[in-house]
Amino acid sequence: MAGWNSFPLKITYEVFGWIAFVSWSMSFYPQVILNFRRKSVVGLNFDFVVLNLTKHSSYLIYNASLYFSSAIQKQYFDKYGEKQMIPVAANDVAFSIHAVLLTAITLFQIAIYQRGHQNVSKIALAIVCIVWIAAAVCLFVALHRHSWLWLISVFNSIQICMTVIKYIPQAVMNFMRKSTDGFSIVNILLDFLGGMTNYAQMTTQSIDQHSWVNFYGNIGKTMLSLVSVLFDLVFMFQHHFLYSDKRKKHTSPEINTSLHSQNV
């Protein structure tokens, strides 16, 4: 495996990576805290959370497998060249573990807090079932062929699809309600920062290695940041421009207090 050509770029890579880790990891807490303070999950789309758990579980399988498995790393080098660096860093694995845990906590809150008339849609449940059945079929295929890199690439593709799909229910729900009440904007701001620093980390590695293989060698990480940033911009536009006046007029006192606390 290739080593770093520049020590300052290596340090910059690590700094950007852990900033992305902290930003993305902290992005889960505003929603969890908001739910806890309100003792309610009204305004949070349940499909978003369910799809998010599948997405992060798939991403954890990909990151942990490529980072820790020497057999998968060998298949990666055989495909992309011995002089390439593994495109998964320690902060990617740490983020995935944390993301699965916090998403599971959010699901637990959905189970115990006031939810109004909201439920997980049958479409979301069907998508999750189809995804995991397909993953199980791919596992049996990989076991026969020992195609481990292909298998984790399947999980990487799953997380890309889930990233695209998971944001849509919340964006549509905000549009239908003409409000972002109950959906933490701090979550989105931190997610946006994580996406941008993630790209900065990947760019730093590419500059040092004089190669852009890490962008298409880990297309999941590349697309994760791209899709996240695009939807974050949509949510920020909804919150700060489309529905800002209605939020000020119609938000209940307790929600106003929670939202204020989250933005301090």
Side-chain angles (χ1 to χ4, degrees):
M1 183 176 72
W4 285 90
N5 298 310
S6 168
F7 182 73
L9 285 177
K10 178 182 178 181
I11 296 300
T12 303
Y13 172 88
E14 295 291 343
V15 170
F16 278 136
W18 287 107
I19 290 176
F21 165 75
V22 171
S23 300
W24 270 340
S25 296
M26 292 302 295
S27 72
F28 289 89
Y29 287 93
Q31 187 66 58
V32 171
I33 295 171
L34 182 61
N35 296 341
F36 175 77
R37 288 180 173 175
R38 297 169 61 214
K39 298 296 186 291
S40 170
V41 288
V42 175
L44 173 64
N45 189 277
F46 299 168
D47 291 359
F48 173 85
V49 181
V50 170
L51 295 171
N52 211 20
L53 183 61
T54 295
K55 170 261 167 86
H56 286 303
S57 299
S58 301
Y59 198 39
L60 173 59
I61 292 171
Y62 173 81
N63 283 332
S65 299
L66 186 53
Y67 188 78
F68 291 110
S69 173
S70 57
I72 296 177
Q73 290 176 3
K74 182 180 183 304
Q75 291 184 7
Y76 181 88
F77 293 139
D78 289 343
K79 182 174 182 179
Y80 294 106
E82 292 287 341
K83 295 183 178 180
Q84 299 302 322
M85 296 179 69
I86 293 297
V88 174
N91 63 274
D92 296 318
V93 180
F95 163 72
S96 295
I97 295 171
H98 183 269
V100 170
L101 291 175
L102 266 292
T103 305
I105 290 173
T106 306
L107 272 177
F108 178 70
Q109 290 182 318
I110 288 174
I112 64 174
Y113 289 152
Q114 178 188 353
R115 65 172 68 183
H117 299 292
Q118 295 176 210
N119 289 294
V120 179
S121 72
K122 293 180 179 179
I123 294 176
L125 291 175
I127 290 173
V128 169
C129 290
I130 291 171
V131 163
W132 286 112
I133 291 172
V137 172
C138 291
L139 173 60
F140 284 112
V141 173
L143 284 172
H144 177 69
R145 300 180 179 179
H146 300 285
S147 305
W148 308 123
L149 181 63
W150 171 79
L151 178 62
I152 67 168
S153 296
V154 169
F155 283 102
N156 206 12
S157 299
I158 289 173
Q159 77 90 9
I160 295 173
C161 294
M162 291 297 101
T163 300
V164 174
I165 296 171
K166 73 171 188 174
Y167 287 111
I168 296 175
Q170 186 68 56
V172 172
M173 184 176 180
N174 293 344
F175 173 76
M176 298 298 291
R177 297 171 68 227
K178 299 296 186 290
S179 171
T180 56
D181 291 345
F183 182 64
S184 176
I185 192 61
V186 181
N187 170 9
I188 298 305
L189 296 175
L190 289 169
D191 190 52
F192 181 79
L193 176 60
M196 296 303 294
T197 50
N198 186 54
Y199 268 135
Q201 182 193 35
M202 297 177 75
T203 301
T204 301
Q205 180 179 332
S206 295
I207 292 173
D208 179 84
Q209 298 294 301
H210 307 292
S211 169
W212 298 95
V213 169
N214 69 304
F215 273 90
Y216 58 83
N218 188 358
I219 192 66
K221 188 175 181 179
T222 304
M223 293 302 297
L224 166 64
S225 296
L226 177 62
V227 175
S228 296
V229 166
L230 291 176
F231 272 99
D232 288 341
L233 290 172
V234 171
F235 288 128
M236 285 188 276
F237 183 72
Q238 286 181 324
H239 185 85
H240 292 294
F241 296 99
L242 286 182
Y243 312 131
S244 59
D245 292 338
K246 293 184 179 182
R247 186 177 69 255
K248 294 175 183 177
K249 291 178 182 179
H250 299 295
T251 303
S252 62
E254 64 271 18
I255 295 179
N256 269 325
T257 301
S258 297
L259 287 174
H260 176 72
S261 300
Q262 294 302 320
N263 283 281
V264 170

